[in-house]
Amino acid sequence: MTLLSVRNLSVAIHEKPIVKDISFNLGAGEILALTGESGSGKSISALALMGLLPLGSKKGGIINFDGNDLNKISENKFCKLRGKKISMVFQEPMTALNPLKNIGRQISETLVQHKACAPHELKNRVRNTMDRVGLSGIDPSRFPHQLSGGQRQRVVIAMAVCLEPSILIADEPTTALDVTTQAKILELLKKFAEQDGISIILITHDLAIVANIANYLILMKEGILVDQGEPKKVFRDLAHPYTKKLFSASSQKLILKENEISKGKLLEVNSVSVNYKSHNRGLFSKGTSIEAVSDVSFDIKRGERLGLVGESGSGKSTLTRTILGLQSTSSGYIEFEGKKISKDNRSFKKNIQVVFQDPYGSFNPRHKVERLIAEPFFALGKEAPHETEQKSIVKEMLEEVGLPLNSTEKYIHEFSGGQRQRIAIARALVIKPKLIIFDEAVSALDLSIRNQILKLISDLTERHGLSYLFISHDLTVIENITEKCLVMKNGKIVEQGQTKQILNDPRNEYTHSLIDAAPKFPEFGHA
Amino acid sequence: MIKYFFRRLFTFVLSLALASIVIFSLVEIAPGDPASFMLGINAQPDTIAALRSELGLDQPKINRYFDWIGGMLTGDFGISYTYRTNVTEMVGDRLWVSLPLAIYALFLSTVIAIPTGIYAAAKRGKTGDFAVISATQLGIAIPNFWFAIILVGIFAIKLQWFSAGGFSGWKDGLFNGITSLTLPAIALALPQAAILSRVMRSALIETLGEDYIRTARAKGLSSSQTIWTHALRNALIPVLTIIGLQFSFLLAGAIIIEQVFYLPGLGRLVFQAITQRDLIVVESVVMLLVFAVILVNFIVDITYMLVDPRLRQDSI
């Protein structure tokens, strides 16, 4: 039975077409996946279904739901549908909740708004809904900041399902979460579809998730619907070239050429612990301290490519900051080429560079690319080459990372995410460091772009004999780009060794659960 | 929560102590000896010396500082050099004009600014918003004494609803007191209201762009409901900060308005005391104003805590 029928939906924001003429049907209890790379218009399509498009947008076409055209009904009428018949879960659990209201009140708001139950039943209804979404032990009087990301996402889901809507739209509901949490949230959504008959529109860029839980898939590219059908069939036939391209990108394996590995240690981390003082220091009490990194030891030899895997809060970032000398150790030491790294000794800076996750946030938007790439020269001080030579090195680097030479005169906002990451890599390479730290460097990128960047990294290290530490929460990335890896949990290294061996035959239970939780493609019987 | 409170309280006391040292030192450094000023240029050196010792000016600085602080704490502000009267009484009389005036003006400014700011934010980009923005631009640009003169021209001289100036005191009843403070309060409040209205508008617009507002809309709340139930409280923090600053300004910064309306307020008292080198009055009034400013900021800090649960947690 068709519950929702979308015909020729189009959306333009400030006259710019974002969604072009898409049509699809949604049946009861079905999970429909809306997928595509960033900028494909999938989130805007969802907002159009909710009638929550940003100011300055225009929509066309017909959205037929329950005998009404949602593109035509009044705002008043739409308010009565939202939350009751059609509800939505958003990507960012950290910001999707009002920080000033406790979660019980935020969940009950949906009930109160639609006058769903008598005031004295409210408490019970909230409790029941919270139990249903897996928040059984959680007190409804808690505030959002007292919950983890996964718990917050469950609260958002509770608000969306407490009135048993016909349709639940989930916009990248797990993208901001750890893999193990992601698996649990997806399980929950699946349960709503199967047991409660709620139809779900799941927006995701992750084809493996689509393959695992969706009944139907719609693939969008630049606002156009390019492919649709049952995931099994779509992924088996790969009829459309764009589907084929995305599919091969997500299952692509990179072959790392062997690097020459020297015997001497480039970086040595020796039983390093880092304690943070918690903020509740009183006037007279010292406050408790939190061990963010606990007795961590490893080393990187010249030419070695090491991965570091862990979920949020595992201490990865603290460890990175410590290696960069931005955070002092509580005990243990870190040596670079036999010399200690500390807050005061910064000469090692010439030989360690870093590439961060968010390439936009890590560049000054008011400087031209030439200056941005040349920035590490300042760290060299007097040893920096002459200005004309710097310019020619910058050009050389642009060529190396595959960007046109006229990029030097542009500003960072003129580039796409992938190009920005290339610029970040050029900046890291410009002073020919011996070690580069990639901190979630490809996590914010679309799959096809991610593969290009990984390929670039692998080519460059081969050409320059570089060593790197690659930090990621994503096991497939680590598998592709490193030979050895460390698995970190709660500040400790729980497993280390050859990447292939760890991924194929994990010894540690935690590593095992990480590998299990990561979404994988089922076999489609490709030749 | 208790820790947050005590930490604020500690900063409150510390700021007061530092302020008292700064004020005392500044007045000490300032040129001009009160004794020679009081006796005129033809005074004999030994007369000056006698007066200095009578006023206690020959004591070591540190003793005088603690005498001053001790006096303040027990409500004894000393004797004015020029008027030879009790400073506590002088300040007290003036405070009965300045404090009600400041509260009155702040009340008016808040009552005007918050609704207009909310209205503008709700109508952002539309005619209503444009009207509020233009009005506030005018309110900020026009100096308040000019407003004051216009108000006197219309309401005191033409319509004769209010008196043109002066303050008869609170003896003739609350209503008379409030009436004579109305025009000055309006003149003081308008520019402040214009600023506050803009802060309210921009804070609210920023909050309305937050993800949780979209979440609330997805629950079925209308856009005006989201403003009242979700956005307003979140937008209030910057507004509270500005209200705190405005109160401090209104208490001491009313000097020109006091002049226009011939009100015996604190601003005029300080001004006269400075020109007459009446250092004990200057010190006392300035200290009192500083106390008021720090107290208001302390109260604003505590209000933050009531508004924001994240501050109620002791780990922050």
Side-chain angles (χ1 to χ4, degrees):
Chain A
M1 191 194 85
T2 304
L3 191 65
L4 176 86
S5 138
V6 176
R7 289 288 161 267
N8 310 96
L9 176 70
S10 56
V11 181
I13 299 178
H14 297 298
E15 313 293 321
K16 190 179 171 226
I18 305 289
V19 176
K20 300 165 195 164
D21 213 18
I22 66 168
S23 303
F24 61 87
N25 290 329
L26 175 70
E30 211 175 56
I31 300 181
L32 178 125
L34 204 52
T35 185
E37 297 192 293
S38 52
S40 59
K42 49 191 195 306
S43 291
I44 293 294
S45 310
L47 290 175
L49 298 182
M50 286 296 282
L52 290 177
L53 287 169
L55 290 175
S57 25
K58 262 196 190 131
K59 56 182 179 176
I62 300 167
I63 303 172
N64 207 321
F65 171 72
D66 219 8
N68 290 312
D69 179 3
L70 299 186
N71 268 354
K72 300 247 159 53
I73 64 170
S74 69
E75 175 58 24
N76 258 343
K77 239 177 155 182
F78 219 141
C79 280
K80 296 205 171 80
L81 291 178
R82 274 186 220 122
K84 190 177 180 189
K85 293 283 177 196
I86 310 178
S87 56
M88 187 156 179
V89 174
F90 299 95
Q91 176 170 4
E92 269 303 326
M94 302 320 255
T95 52
L97 295 169
N98 185 339
L100 305 187
K101 290 192 170 192
N102 71 40
I103 54 171
R105 274 186 66 195
Q106 295 195 51
I107 296 171
S108 66
E109 200 175 20
T110 315
L111 301 166
V112 174
Q113 182 67 24
H114 297 283
K115 301 187 183 69
C117 64
H120 65 273
E121 292 169 37
L122 214 51
K123 226 174 159 179
N124 272 334
R125 283 288 291 269
V126 170
R127 187 69 267 169
N128 287 342
T129 315
M130 285 178 71
D131 293 347
R132 261 177 82 201
V133 298
L135 289 169
S136 333
I138 306 291
D139 185 352
S141 67
R142 293 179 83 172
F143 286 94
H145 70 273
Q146 296 166 318
L147 305 177
S148 70
Q151 287 171 330
R152 288 186 210 195
Q153 196 61 300
R154 284 174 197 269
V155 173
V156 179
I157 293 174
M159 300 187 314
V161 301
C162 62
L163 286 176
E164 306 286 336
S166 318
I167 301 173
L168 174 67
I169 302 173
D171 185 359
E172 302 273 4
T174 58
T175 309
L177 303 173
D178 287 326
V179 272
T180 45
T181 320
Q182 162 169 294
K184 287 176 201 148
I185 297 283
L186 290 175
E187 198 57 41
L188 186 66
L189 291 178
K190 211 171 162 182
K191 195 185 85 185
F192 284 129
E194 282 168 3
Q195 293 179 7
D196 306 284
I198 298 178
S199 308
I200 294 178
I201 298 178
L202 177 69
I203 296 166
T204 178
H205 66 277
D206 192 330
L207 293 182
I209 292 179
V210 175
N212 281 314
I213 82 166
N215 308 113
Y216 199 81
L217 114 84
I218 287 173
L219 178 62
M220 287 177 73
K221 186 195 180 195
E222 289 159 15
I224 298 167
L225 196 159
V226 291
D227 203 355
Q228 60 178 321
E230 279 175 48
K232 229 188 263 169
K233 189 173 179 306
V234 170
F235 290 131
R236 195 185 54 225
D237 298 351
L238 298 177
H240 196 281
Y242 184 63
T243 320
K244 195 169 185 176
K245 186 186 153 205
L246 279 189
F247 183 80
S248 57
S250 52
S251 47
Q252 194 182 4
K253 291 270 182 290
L254 204 70
I255 295 156
L256 271 187
K257 296 224 177 86
E258 263 183 40
N259 243 1
E260 207 177 299
I261 294 170
S262 69
K263 279 195 178 146
K265 287 171 186 167
L266 192 61
L267 180 84
E268 185 184 3
V269 175
N270 198 316
S271 49
V272 163
S273 298
V274 179
N275 296 335
Y276 278 126
K277 288 247 165 62
S278 71
H279 290 287
N280 58 348
R281 256 177 304 176
L283 259 182
F284 306 104
S285 68
K286 268 186 166 174
T288 48
S289 69
I290 301 156
E291 200 162 49
V293 174
S294 167
D295 196 23
V296 165
S297 300
F298 65 91
D299 57 63
I300 301 177
K301 297 188 182 72
R302 187 163 300 173
E304 218 166 35
R305 290 161 288 193
L306 181 71
L308 174 59
V309 191
E311 297 191 294
S312 50
S314 62
K316 296 181 308 230
S317 308
T318 309
L319 185 61
T320 320
R321 288 173 55 79
T322 317
I323 294 173
L324 290 170
L326 300 170
Q327 168 76 45
S328 46
T329 58
S330 308
S331 66
Y333 62 88
I334 301 174
E335 282 185 352
F336 188 80
E337 294 190 311
K339 279 186 201 132
K340 260 188 198 163
I341 286 177
S342 71
K343 252 184 180 170
D344 316 311
N345 164 21
R346 294 207 163 187
S347 63
F348 67 89
K349 257 184 133 180
K350 293 171 222 164
N351 289 312
I352 304 184
Q353 284 290 308
V354 63
V355 177
F356 292 104
Q357 172 172 5
D358 175 13
Y360 190 63
S362 52
F363 286 114
N364 185 335
R366 291 186 220 293
H367 287 164
K368 287 182 178 161
V369 165
E370 176 161 48
R371 160 110 197 243
L372 293 175
I373 295 180
E375 215 137 52
F377 285 126
F378 290 106
L380 297 184
K382 282 178 191 153
E383 294 167 45
H386 190 265
E387 209 172 312
T388 47
E389 200 187 329
Q390 283 190 13
K391 280 189 177 170
S392 73
I393 298 177
V394 167
K395 291 231 156 102
E396 207 178 292
M397 286 305 137
L398 278 175
E399 246 174 357
E400 289 250 22
V401 299
L403 284 175
L405 292 181
N406 62 5
S407 308
T408 50
E409 290 303 307
K410 291 186 180 167
Y411 292 93
I412 197 72
H413 70 263
E414 298 174 65
F415 295 90
S416 69
Q419 288 172 326
R420 284 175 195 164
Q421 212 54 306
R422 285 174 193 266
I423 293 169
I425 292 169
R427 172 168 70 176
L429 284 174
V430 80
I431 54 170
K432 307 226 156 41
K434 291 175 180 155
L435 178 69
I436 298 185
I437 298 177
F438 292 99
D439 189 355
E440 299 277 5
V442 295
S443 304
L445 302 175
D446 274 329
L447 216 56
S448 51
I449 316 268
R450 167 187 302 191
N451 286 343
Q452 290 167 15
I453 299 289
L454 290 178
K455 176 88 174 42
L456 175 72
I457 292 172
S458 121
D459 288 350
L460 286 173
T461 46
E462 199 189 307
R463 222 175 300 157
H464 298 279
L466 274 175
S467 321
Y468 56 74
L469 175 64
F470 203 105
I471 298 157
S472 181
H473 67 279
D474 188 338
L475 290 168
T476 47
V477 171
I478 295 291
E479 186 183 5
N480 271 322
I481 197 102
T482 65
E483 292 132 343
K484 286 169 92 176
C485 83
L486 313 165
V487 182
M488 209 167 167
K489 189 199 179 191
N490 295 338
K492 291 190 182 72
I493 289 180
V494 293
E495 188 160 2
Q496 60 177 311
Q498 299 294 322
T499 307
K500 278 210 178 72
Q501 198 183 345
I502 288 182
L503 292 182
N504 291 332
D505 179 25
R507 300 277 156 82
N508 185 282
E509 207 179 310
Y510 176 69
T511 320
H512 212 83
S513 69
L514 275 186
I515 295 171
D516 274 353
K520 279 172 280 292
F521 273 111
E523 281 301 318
F524 294 111
H526 292 288
Chain B
M1 175 147 53
I2 296 161
K3 266 185 190 156
Y4 178 87
F5 178 80
F6 278 106
R7 208 168 323 149
R8 295 292 145 205
L9 192 65
F10 178 71
T11 19
F12 172 64
V13 175
L14 193 73
S15 321
L16 275 184
L18 284 173
S20 70
I21 293 170
V22 171
I23 291 166
F24 185 79
S25 323
L26 277 179
V27 171
E28 286 299 310
I29 297 165
D33 176 45
S36 42
F37 193 85
M38 282 159 73
L39 294 170
I41 30 171
N42 296 325
Q44 298 298 316
D46 49 336
T47 339
I48 293 178
L51 184 62
R52 280 179 63 88
S53 86
E54 190 198 323
L55 294 173
L57 290 172
D58 55 347
Q59 300 278 320
K61 284 191 168 56
I62 189 100
N63 291 9
R64 288 185 19 238
Y65 172 74
F66 281 109
D67 282 349
W68 177 57
I69 292 293
M72 282 257 190
L73 289 176
T74 53
D76 174 16
F77 289 17
I79 303 289
S80 158
Y81 298 156
T82 40
Y83 298 106
R84 298 294 172 124
T85 52
N86 197 327
V87 177
T88 317
E89 272 172 36
M90 280 170 70
V91 171
D93 287 348
R94 305 300 182 105
L95 207 57
W96 273 108
V97 181
S98 283
L99 195 62
L101 179 61
I103 293 173
Y104 194 178
L106 191 71
F107 170 75
L108 288 179
S109 134
T110 315
V111 164
I112 299 168
I114 296 210
T116 51
I118 295 172
Y119 174 77
K123 301 270 174 215
R124 59 191 176 284
K126 296 187 185 143
T127 328
D129 182 25
F130 182 71
V132 172
I133 290 187
S134 317
T136 54
Q137 198 117 46
L138 215 61
I140 294 169
I142 297 173
N144 59 10
F145 62 84
W146 192 80
F147 265 136
I149 294 165
I150 298 293
L151 287 173
V152 169
I154 297 173
F155 294 102
I157 297 171
K158 259 230 161 109
L159 299 170
Q160 306 215 329
W161 290 356
F162 300 97
S163 66
F167 182 67
S168 49
W170 298 98
K171 296 181 294 291
D172 304 337
L174 190 68
F175 181 74
N176 279 335
I178 289 181
T179 323
S180 47
L181 288 181
T182 297
L183 287 186
I186 294 175
L188 277 173
L190 283 179
Q192 304 298 322
I195 297 169
L196 197 61
S197 172
R198 294 194 144 212
V199 174
M200 183 75 240
R201 175 185 174 271
S202 58
L204 198 53
I205 287 180
E206 201 185 316
T207 314
L208 286 173
E210 297 282 350
D211 284 353
Y212 53 81
I213 298 297
R214 199 178 52 180
T215 311
R217 296 276 284 136
K219 281 193 254 185
L221 274 73
S222 70
S223 72
S224 62
Q225 275 179 313
T226 51
I227 292 183
W228 296 108
T229 57
H230 287 275
L232 199 55
R233 228 173 105 191
N234 276 289
L236 226 47
I237 289 200
V239 175
L240 280 175
T241 313
I242 301 295
I243 290 180
L245 293 173
Q246 291 197 338
F247 181 71
S248 333
F249 168 78
L250 289 171
L251 199 57
I255 178 160
I256 297 174
I257 292 296
E258 284 172 11
Q259 209 71 34
V260 172
F261 288 97
Y262 215 72
L263 295 174
L266 278 176
R268 278 177 74 200
L269 178 68
V270 183
F271 181 69
Q272 285 162 359
I274 290 172
T275 50
Q276 290 163 349
R277 290 291 178 283
D278 200 342
L279 297 187
I280 194 88
V281 174
V282 176
E283 270 177 354
S284 307
V285 177
V286 173
M287 192 61 217
L288 195 74
L289 291 174
V290 168
F291 173 76
V293 171
I294 298 177
L295 180 70
V296 168
N297 282 321
F298 173 67
I299 294 170
V300 169
D301 276 349
I302 299 303
T303 325
Y304 285 163
M305 191 175 76
L306 298 178
V307 172
D308 194 336
R310 286 165 293 186
L311 294 174
R312 270 178 248 155
Q313 221 183 17
D314 272 336
S315 63
I316 295 172

